[in-house]
Amino acid sequence: MANEAKEKLMPLLKKCSLAQGMSDEEVRELLASAQVSLREYPKGDIVFHEGDMPHSLYILLSGEVHILKDTFSGRRIFLSEINEPGDMFGEVYEVLKQPYDMYVEAVTKVLLLEISSDLFTWDAGGELSRSALKIQRNLMRIFARKAYFMHNKIKVLASGSLREKIVRFLFIEMQGRRELELSGSREFMAAYLAVTRPSLSRELSAMQREGILAVDGKSIKVLDMERFEEYL
C-alpha cells in the first residue's frame, strides 16, 4: 500500500476492535507489513466461497457484504450483514485454519483490509512485533465477546414460541431500557432468531396491535412492560 493510502486508513483502523489500544506508530507498523493488503471487490463478487481454506481475516473499510449459506436444495440463507466500517469477519476461520462453512458476497462495491494470521502467530518464526502482540491480545477479547454473544443467542433460540424469542432478544439488547434502535436490518434479526422475515414482521405487528410494543422501522419501544415480561 502507498503511504498516502495507509495514512487515510489510520483513523478507521484505530477504531476497529482489532487495533484497540494501539498507538499510531503500532498501527503504521501493522499497515507496513507484507501480510496486510488492501483489496477492492465489485458488487456481486464473492470474497470467499464455502469450503475455501482461509488466508486472511477481513476488516471492512467501505461498502457492505452479506454472509450467506446455500442449502442442499439450492435455497440461499441469509446469516448476517457487515456494513459498518471497521467491522471484522472471518477471523475465527483464519486463526483456526478451518474451511469456511459459509460464503461472503459483496452487495455493493467493497474495500477490505486483509490481514494474514502469519502476522501474529509464532509460525512466522522469530519474535513478534509490538503490533502483532497487541493483535493477539485483542483477538482474545474479540473471541470472548463472540462466545458471550453465542451464549445469549442459545438462550434466545431455546425459547418455545417466536414471541418468546423476540422478547428475550429485545430484553438482552435493551439492557434495562424500554427502547431500542436495531443495529442491523429486520432481515438480520430474523436470521438471528432463525425465522423467516415475514414471520418476524407478522409477530411484531401483532405485538404492536396488542399494545405491547411500538415499532417504527428500526426503532422498537416497550409500551406494556408487564405483558412484555410475561414472555421471559
Side-chain angles (χ1 to χ4, degrees):
M1 284 182 285
N3 289 333
E4 183 180 348
K6 293 177 188 176
E7 288 299 320
K8 288 183 178 178
L9 292 178
M10 289 275 296
L12 179 59
L13 191 57
K14 286 198 72 175
K15 293 179 182 178
C16 175
S17 55
L18 189 67
Q20 184 179 351
M22 292 173 66
S23 66
D24 287 352
E25 180 184 352
E26 288 165 340
V27 173
R28 287 192 181 96
E29 180 182 65
L30 169 64
L31 292 173
S33 171
Q35 307 297 336
V36 177
S37 60
L38 190 64
R39 287 198 60 188
E40 188 173 275
Y41 294 83
K43 179 181 178 180
D45 211 5
I46 302 298
V47 177
F48 56 76
H49 293 83
E50 184 172 357
D52 284 352
M53 287 299 297
H55 60 77
S56 300
L57 59 84
Y58 302 85
I59 297 174
L60 181 73
L61 300 176
S62 65
E64 179 176 347
V65 300
H66 284 179
I67 299 176
L68 306 160
K69 186 174 181 66
D70 292 336
T71 66
F72 288 112
S73 62
R75 185 168 68 90
R76 174 181 279 198
I77 300 174
F78 172 88
L79 298 177
S80 187
E81 61 194 4
I82 308 292
N83 55 19
E84 290 294 328
D87 280 355
M88 184 169 55
F89 61 95
E91 69 279 4
V92 174
Y93 299 88
E94 168 63 353
V95 171
L96 296 179
K97 294 300 181 186
Q98 293 293 317
Y100 298 112
D101 57 4
M102 42 67 171
Y103 63 98
V104 172
E105 180 180 349
V107 295
T108 66
K109 186 169 85 170
V110 166
L111 187 64
L112 297 176
L113 192 68
E114 303 184 358
I115 304 176
S116 169
S117 65
D118 290 343
L119 176 70
F120 50 86
T121 61
W122 292 108
D123 296 339
E127 293 186 3
L128 294 178
S129 65
R130 288 178 300 171
S131 58
L133 288 169
K134 287 194 175 179
I135 286 175
Q136 280 188 338
R137 180 199 63 191
N138 289 336
L139 275 172
M140 290 179 65
R141 291 174 176 169
I142 291 165
F143 291 160
R145 284 197 294 269
K146 290 204 168 189
Y148 180 71
F149 173 86
M150 290 306 300
H151 171 71
N152 283 335
K153 185 171 183 177
I154 289 169
K155 288 195 294 185
V156 170
L157 294 179
S159 306
S161 67
L162 174 53
R163 182 165 297 196
E164 288 172 349
K165 289 181 181 180
I166 292 171
V167 168
R168 290 190 181 186
F169 170 81
L170 295 176
F171 183 78
I172 291 170
E173 292 294 311
M174 288 178 172
Q175 297 182 350
R177 303 186 302 272
R178 297 180 71 102
E179 296 184 54
L180 172 68
E181 188 75 19
L182 293 173
S183 57
S185 64
R186 187 75 63 85
E187 189 175 12
F188 171 78
M189 184 177 173
Y192 182 97
L193 299 177
V195 299
T196 64
R197 181 173 174 173
S199 296
L200 173 63
S201 296
R202 282 194 298 271
E203 193 60 36
L204 287 172
S205 295
M207 295 176 76
Q208 186 164 227
R209 287 194 303 271
E210 294 170 27
I212 301 172
L213 299 177
V215 182
D216 183 12
K218 289 188 175 184
S219 178
I220 300 179
K221 182 178 181 179
V222 178
L223 300 177
D224 189 333
M225 185 60 73
E226 186 176 343
R227 292 187 63 196
F228 178 82
E229 291 183 346
E230 286 178 3
Y231 297 97
L232 287 174

